[in-house]
Amino acid sequence: MIRIAQASSSETFTKYGIAPNQRRTGVTAARPQGNLDGELNIINWDGGWEAVYRPIDPEVAEKIADIFYQAVANGSHIGYSWKGFTGLFDWLKNHGSTNPADVDTPVNTDCTGLTGAAVYNAGIHDERLRTLTTDKMDEILMSTNAFLKLSGKDLCEKGKGIQRGDLLWRTGHAACALDSDPDYSLKPTFYFQKYSFNSTNITAGTPGTRAIQRTRSVAKKGYRIVDARLSYVSNSAIANVVPFFGYGDEDRLCVNFYRAGTSGTIDATIVVVYVREELTGASW
């Protein structure tokens, strides 16, 4: 079963409340986390998500999931409220901690307050995360270049292909997956393929003008292309190398070689990043 960690609602099931988690049940000396229910809680998979933001770095994903869990578990000090929703983020930063288990005074958070705190303390230090809201989540997360946005229907509705640390989003709410889909195949989510464009002749001319463009079909069955990045160039004094996809063909890699001031022959290597096709929406 896939579990979801989230900040849900206050002690009065509204937007505003007073910390800590007053709806937590089952708390004992041996089980201070109780039943992991209440204002911040852990539930079994529930669909209806509109997008999934997957950390590109697996270590970041693991840290995000752990921070979500520790925040939920600390029901004795962390509660839910829109008012003061930066409380968790601020406490961690002011105390030099990255673990919500350390919080020892009452603070509040909300769904994206917890998301922002988790992402920031997982190592993505963008100050905008402090006041993250659901309507800014796409803009801010994607601008960090640390996430891939996925919108496959089975992924969002059924959790097919979900991985631990995935951030879940729908209009007005955000959460985190604590488990990976147990039926997920061993086929990797991402695939990285290098393509070499060697012995490219750059003629003399005005610096900044294009000397040549080279192209190659880079389609891969079962995957869609995410990005193309320059991995290696033998002599940047000869040309600036810029990869892109164009001409209405998303599978055709184009590489422009712009004169840098010196003529000669250079080698260049481009890395193309792919993602599993079923994890992307039709609008990818």
Side-chain angles (χ1 to χ4, degrees):
M1 177 61 69
I2 300 169
R3 298 169 299 159
I4 294 173
Q6 61 182 356
S8 182
S9 60
S10 74
E11 65 272 15
T12 57
F13 297 90
T14 61
K15 299 174 183 176
Y16 303 103
I18 299 173
N21 189 339
Q22 298 164 56
R23 285 167 31 207
R24 178 61 44 85
T25 66
V27 175
T28 65
R31 296 179 68 250
Q33 76 277 17
N35 294 322
L36 298 173
D37 57 1
E39 300 174 44
L40 279 66
N41 56 58
I42 293 175
I43 62 172
N44 291 333
W45 176 263
D46 184 23
W49 303 103
E50 298 172 54
V52 172
Y53 295 90
R54 175 162 297 167
I56 294 174
D57 186 339
E59 292 186 7
V60 170
E62 176 58 34
K63 290 176 183 177
I64 287 174
D66 186 61
I67 289 168
F68 263 84
Y69 179 88
Q70 296 299 338
V72 174
N74 190 353
S76 58
H77 295 102
I78 304 174
Y80 182 102
S81 181
W82 278 20
K83 183 177 181 180
F85 78 99
T86 64
L88 173 60
F89 187 105
D90 293 340
W91 193 100
L92 293 173
K93 193 169 186 180
N94 292 338
H95 290 79
S97 173
T98 61
N99 189 351
D102 294 336
V103 177
D104 58 5
T105 56
V107 299
N108 275 315
T109 190
D110 66 3
C111 66
T112 47
L114 175 53
T115 301
V119 174
Y120 188 92
N121 288 288
I124 312 301
H125 293 155
D126 188 316
E127 294 301 324
R128 296 174 298 170
L129 292 166
R130 177 179 180 269
T131 54
L132 186 69
T133 56
T134 53
D135 61 333
K136 290 290 186 179
M137 191 161 156
D138 183 82
E139 174 189 340
I140 293 175
L141 291 187
M142 295 307 292
S143 70
T144 66
N145 296 316
F147 293 87
L148 179 67
K149 182 180 180 180
L150 306 173
S151 56
K153 183 176 180 180
D154 283 349
L155 179 76
C156 293
E157 292 292 336
K158 301 176 183 178
K160 183 178 179 181
I162 280 289
Q163 293 187 357
R164 176 173 166 84
D166 281 352
L167 295 175
L168 315 176
W169 178 89
R170 62 172 176 252
T171 302
H173 191 46
C176 178
L178 294 185
D179 302 295
S180 297
D181 175 9
D183 297 322
Y184 195 60
S185 76
L186 296 179
K187 183 179 175 184
T189 298
F190 299 105
Y191 184 84
F192 301 85
Q193 178 70 52
K194 290 184 177 180
Y195 296 93
S196 295
F197 297 83
N198 294 333
S199 302
T200 300
N201 184 47
I202 308 300
T203 58
T206 303
T209 59
R210 189 177 73 183
I212 191 173
Q213 180 183 95
R214 298 184 63 180
T215 65
R216 179 178 297 179
S217 177
V218 293
K220 181 174 176 60
K221 186 177 181 180
Y223 287 84
R224 281 195 174 186
I225 294 166
V226 177
D227 196 11
R229 305 168 184 174
L230 178 64
S231 173
Y232 167 78
V233 60
S234 60
N235 189 345
S236 59
I238 296 177
N240 295 318
V241 183
V242 180
F244 68 99
F245 295 92
Y247 304 110
D249 184 353
E250 65 177 11
D251 295 326
R252 180 162 293 279
L253 173 64
C254 303
V255 184
N256 281 346
F257 292 79
Y258 294 98
R259 295 179 178 90
T262 303
S263 62
T265 300
I266 68 171
D267 299 335
T269 301
I270 308 299
V271 174
V272 176
V273 185
Y274 302 82
V275 65
R276 287 182 60 168
E277 194 169 52
E278 66 268 25
L279 299 181
T280 65
S283 61
W284 180 264

